Amino acid sequence: MAVQPLPEAKLLDKFSDGISSLKYLSPASGGSTTRLASTSWDGAVRLHDTSNSSSPGLLTHNMESGPLLSLAVPSAMNKLVTGGLDGSIKMLDIETTTVEKIGRHVDPKKRGNDENGTASAASPENACSCLAAMNGEHPHLVVSASWNRQLCVWDLRQQNNGESIAQVDLPGKAFAIDVDSSRGRILVATSGRRNCVYDLRSMGSGSNTDDKSSSVLLDSVLERESSLKFQTRCVKLFPDGSGFCLGSIEGRVGVEFLEELALPTNGMKKYAFKCHRVGDTVYPVNCIAFHPTYSSTFATGGCDGTVVLWDCQHKKKLTALPAFPTSISALAFSPDGSELAIASSYTHEEGDREHPQDELYIRKILDSEAMPKAKS
């Protein structure tokens, strides 16, 4: 039987500045396009058709938020939500290209005075570093987290007047976020190596954040220290929500479980492993993405320019892709798992220096590369 040749990564587009996030959109009913959204430090959100290699660009729109750090894709809406270095959260209608301001992260000490977008509100200290769409039972809600230690919940159907429907102060700067749509839970990784879980189902019973606000306080259901010794870069929940993987600046991935929330662990205990290292040089792990079909398979991208697929259940390396020109800043699997979007984009881990151009690649993924392999 002939061995199937391995696919090569195909260049989809080149960017003028760093690529901060990648998200696939849900397949359009009856459509043949595979749509991929991205945000960049050049301030633009882009939409590509990855099935059209000759002319993949569908849309490029400057959100006028300064550099864009984060992106969310609500599955029930043909819209994209972006988070900017200026702290703003904005929504782009893909069909009309109109932009709606959803809200803004502001200094908690000046909350109520700066929410309309004054110069002090637009400080990078308030940057919206993380965004996620809740989807599932909450298809119109997005959650955002910021460098000023805020977590906010926004209802995209409402005229929010710049005010979130729920919020809470975090124990540190928000570095990464993910959501469990089936349970309405939010996981945030912050500075100080803290991992915090919040439950949207507690919103109705929460009290107001202050007398002037209609926003309710979001309850924390779990807060604990990371099992890794160094700063967290990325975090992703298991597809079933029973645990999560997190990557750190020390070239290591931690696999943890949420047994405190009475979720099944299948007899597994937390563990960690080294990765993205070349000789004695240790590189940060920038991003993690779970495969949509093989639920124990996930990919990691590091500052060494490599992408590796792992099986977290059997603790095995599955596939290592050939190295890319520079750091891997973002990853995303397509909804059917047949391809992986890869951002080869310098993340300034070595400061300002000459570096390869920021590029977006698409790599077809074979079942044989992603399928978990039982212990021998």
Side-chain angles (χ1 to χ4, degrees):
M1 183 176 178
V3 177
Q4 187 174 1
L6 296 179
E8 293 183 0
K10 303 296 185 182
L11 177 64
L12 189 70
D13 202 358
K14 296 183 178 182
F15 288 62
S16 61
D17 209 336
I19 304 169
S20 53
S21 56
L22 298 172
K23 293 280 192 310
Y24 277 91
L25 280 67
S26 299
S29 178
S32 59
T33 60
T34 303
R35 297 183 298 169
L36 173 70
S38 62
T39 52
S40 170
W41 280 77
D42 66 7
V45 60
R46 292 172 174 82
L47 191 64
H48 290 90
D49 176 7
T50 67
S51 60
N52 186 347
S53 58
S54 60
S55 181
L58 298 175
L59 173 70
T60 300
H61 194 90
N62 192 301
M63 298 297 285
E64 298 184 358
S65 300
L68 296 181
L69 307 186
S70 50
L71 172 69
V73 179
S75 60
M77 310 169 75
N78 195 30
K79 298 180 181 182
L80 304 174
V81 183
T82 63
L85 186 66
D86 65 354
S88 66
I89 299 97
K90 296 180 180 180
M91 181 167 63
L92 173 70
D93 187 306
I94 294 174
E95 292 185 4
T96 65
T97 68
T98 56
V99 175
E100 179 182 350
K101 180 180 176 182
I102 303 301
R104 181 189 294 275
H105 284 276
V106 300
D107 185 337
K109 297 178 182 178
K110 301 176 181 178
R111 192 175 292 158
N113 297 323
D114 285 344
E115 292 182 358
N116 291 324
T118 64
S120 59
S123 166
E125 295 178 359
N126 300 323
C128 179
S129 53
C130 311
L131 270 177
M134 288 304 306
N135 296 325
E137 296 181 1
H138 307 279
H140 299 98
L141 298 185
V142 295
V143 291
S144 64
S146 63
W147 287 345
N148 69 4
R149 306 185 176 206
Q150 289 179 329
L151 173 66
C152 295
V153 182
W154 311 90
D155 190 336
L156 302 180
R157 300 168 298 180
Q158 298 181 5
Q159 292 293 327
N160 294 303
N161 296 319
E163 186 173 8
S164 60
I165 62 171
Q167 60 188 39
V168 69
D169 291 334
L170 297 167
K173 291 183 177 180
F175 290 150
I177 195 170
D178 199 17
V179 298
D180 177 357
S181 298
S182 64
R183 296 182 178 89
R185 286 176 176 159
I186 307 160
L187 171 63
V188 186
T190 75
S191 59
R193 299 170 44 244
R194 307 304 295 178
N195 296 315
C196 309
V197 180
Y198 301 90
D199 197 327
L200 282 182
R201 294 170 296 185
S202 67
M203 281 200 306
S205 59
S207 58
N208 286 355
T209 55
D210 56 58
D211 293 338
K212 299 179 182 179
S213 174
S214 61
S215 183
V216 300
L217 185 65
L218 201 58
D219 288 338
S220 169
V221 295
L222 177 65
E223 180 183 333
R224 70 185 188 197
E225 190 174 71
S226 167
S227 60
L228 303 182
K229 296 180 180 179
F230 293 88
Q231 176 182 303
T232 302
R233 272 284 177 93
C234 52
V235 67
K236 279 293 177 182
L237 283 158
F238 299 167
D240 67 359
S242 63
F244 57 92
C245 294
L246 66 162
S248 76
I249 62 172
E250 60 157 340
R252 195 181 296 262
V253 167
V255 180
E256 302 190 18
F257 298 88
L258 297 172
E259 61 272 8
E260 299 97 326
L261 302 180
L263 295 173
T265 65
N266 296 320
M268 296 187 67
K269 296 182 179 180
K270 68 180 180 181
Y271 67 93
F273 61 91
K274 298 176 182 178
C275 54
H276 297 286
R277 300 176 179 218
V278 180
D280 295 330
T281 305
V282 178
Y283 294 92
V285 181
N286 291 328
C287 43
I288 295 174
F290 269 91
H291 195 279
T293 303
Y294 302 114
S295 59
S296 68
T297 297
F298 65 93
T300 59
C303 285
D304 59 344
T306 66
V307 176
V308 184
L309 274 65
W310 312 88
D311 175 3
C312 67
Q313 182 176 359
H314 300 107
K315 304 180 182 179
K316 285 190 173 185
K317 178 191 285 189
L318 297 175
T319 304
L321 305 187
F324 291 83
T326 187
S327 312
I328 306 302
S329 64
L331 293 170
F333 278 104
S334 61
D336 64 0
S338 66
E339 65 183 35
L340 180 64
I342 302 164
S344 173
S345 180
Y346 179 55
T347 54
H348 292 266
E349 63 275 5
E350 298 176 355
D352 286 333
R353 63 169 176 80
E354 291 293 322
H355 59 83
Q357 183 165 8
D358 304 292
E359 296 174 327
L360 174 58
Y361 290 86
I362 301 297
R363 168 55 154 79
K364 295 293 182 182
I365 300 296
L366 304 177
D367 277 353
S368 59
E369 296 177 301
M371 184 182 298
K373 298 173 177 62
K375 286 187 176 180
S376 54

